[in-house]
Amino acid sequence: MKDIKNYVALFFGVLALSTSAIFVKLSDAPSPVTAFYRLLFTALALLPFLVFSEKNRREFAALGRRQVTNIILTGFLLAVHYTMWFESLRFTSVSSSTVLVSMQPLFSMLWGFLFLKERVRPGAVAGCLIAIAGSAVIGWGDFTVSSAALFGDFLALSSAGVISLYFLIGQVTRKNTGVITYSVLSYFSSAAFLLVYTLVSKNPLSGYPAMTWYSFLGLAFISTIGGQFVFNLLLKDISATMVSMGILGEPVGTCILAFLILKETIAPRQLAGIVVIMAGLSVYFFYPLLKEREVRMRRLEGEEQ
């Protein structure tokens, strides 16, 4: 039953995260500025839950040096992920970048196997590859081949490895750290790193229209608190690989929301990609549950005999 609750929470987290592209599209700010305000507003929104909770204050004060280092490292990795991903868009197509970033579950499986000795199920690998193939189908159409595009593709693929490390360290750290303490420190750290990058890249921090500021708030309260914060919450009970797999459903949610909110049409290619992604996610998430149920039924039949 606990697995079902985690799956439901993951589903709604992915649905909330799917609004990211909608809010970014409504924003007129450069990508680094958008990422900075997204994480800054998220950290500020969660800060009262740390300040006005005696339990969270005690936990924060009792953080060890290693815990603080790990959490700040996750903030740094999140900032690096955004920076590399946004930079990749300067050199390669949106589709190429998006598809390569969706490779993060493969990195999560690799890091989990190397550092946590997690066992990789053949069915999990199959479901992962099917879902990634669906992402490729959605993104197919404007892939570019050139030296600049190759560099952009390298940045996008590297950002996938970085964000999977972010979730892996979060999985380990969340075992003995509360979600509020972890998230507030991680998001403030990430916002600080992104602020440095924004200033170095000479992007203005003000002068944007009201709709852009509303988009920042939407990214913070819906996309991040409703999405990424939920993932941080789930990392105590489920693996980073499972979270990364769930995030592969983001293009599905984005296509549907773009159809409902922005009145964009869903092309046949996108519809086919959605079906393939859902098939891959079904193999990954529900096949183990069916196998477990089958084993349980056989055990009950054996007891009755």
Side-chain angles (χ1 to χ4, degrees):
M1 183 62 69
K2 189 175 183 180
D3 287 339
I4 298 298
K5 290 182 179 179
N6 287 335
Y7 286 0
V8 171
L10 184 60
F11 169 81
F12 283 105
V14 171
L15 183 62
L17 187 67
S18 299
T19 62
S20 296
I22 307 298
F23 289 122
V24 169
K25 194 162 187 177
L26 295 174
S27 170
D28 287 332
S31 297
V33 176
T34 300
F36 163 68
Y37 280 117
R38 171 182 184 169
L39 292 170
L40 176 64
F41 289 165
T42 300
L44 290 174
L46 295 175
L47 186 60
F49 295 95
L50 175 63
V51 174
F52 297 109
S53 169
E54 185 178 350
K55 176 185 175 183
N56 291 334
R57 289 201 310 271
R58 285 201 307 266
E59 182 185 58
F60 186 83
L63 285 175
R65 181 179 299 178
R66 185 170 183 177
Q67 284 176 293
V68 172
T69 301
N70 285 342
I71 296 173
I72 292 178
L73 178 58
T74 63
F76 174 73
L77 290 173
L78 189 59
V80 170
H81 163 70
Y82 277 123
T83 301
M84 295 183 77
W85 189 14
F86 293 156
E87 282 298 310
S88 75
L89 295 172
R90 295 175 53 193
F91 300 97
T92 191
S93 68
V94 173
S95 295
S96 295
S97 178
T98 302
V99 170
L100 289 168
V101 166
S102 72
M103 299 291 183
Q104 58 180 280
L106 293 179
F107 283 102
S108 293
M109 289 181 184
L110 177 62
W111 304 147
F113 175 76
L114 292 177
F115 301 121
L116 303 181
K117 307 303 179 185
E118 291 180 346
R119 180 170 166 267
V120 181
R121 295 181 290 105
V125 176
C128 178
L129 293 175
I130 293 171
I132 289 175
S135 297
V137 170
I138 289 179
W140 192 265
D142 67 334
F143 287 92
T144 307
V145 179
S146 67
S147 58
L150 186 62
F151 177 66
D153 291 343
F154 170 76
L155 288 176
L157 187 62
S158 299
S159 75
V162 169
I163 194 63
S164 62
L165 269 179
Y166 163 82
F167 282 123
L168 182 76
I169 296 174
Q171 175 186 338
V172 174
T173 307
R174 277 284 291 116
K175 297 299 181 184
N176 54 9
T177 308
V179 66
I180 294 294
T181 300
Y182 170 81
S183 298
V184 169
L185 185 53
S186 178
Y187 290 148
F188 267 126
S189 301
S190 190
F193 289 121
L194 282 166
L195 175 61
V196 172
Y197 175 68
T198 299
L199 294 176
V200 169
S201 58
K202 297 181 180 179
N203 286 304
L205 293 171
S206 60
Y208 300 107
M211 179 56 70
T212 296
W213 291 100
Y214 294 148
S215 298
F216 294 160
L217 292 173
L219 283 166
F221 284 91
I222 299 176
S223 306
T224 309
I225 293 179
Q228 199 170 68
F229 176 76
V230 171
F231 303 151
N232 289 343
L233 185 66
L234 291 174
L235 282 173
K236 190 167 186 176
D237 297 318
I238 66 178
S239 70
T241 301
M242 189 171 291
V243 170
S244 296
M245 274 299 300
I247 293 174
L248 280 179
E250 182 182 356
V252 177
T254 299
C255 286
I256 295 173
L257 290 174
F259 173 76
L260 296 175
I261 298 173
L262 302 179
K263 308 303 180 183
E264 293 185 358
T265 59
I266 299 179
R269 184 187 73 250
Q270 291 175 311
L271 184 60
I274 288 173
V275 172
V276 175
I277 289 175
M278 296 307 294
L281 295 180
S282 298
V283 170
Y284 182 91
F285 285 107
F286 296 112
Y287 181 72
L289 293 179
L290 293 175
K291 292 290 291 184
E292 182 181 339
R293 181 182 179 187
E294 183 180 335
V295 171
R296 193 183 303 117
M297 292 296 292
R298 288 178 179 176
R299 188 182 299 124
L300 291 175
E301 289 174 359
E303 291 175 357
E304 290 177 356
Q305 292 177 358

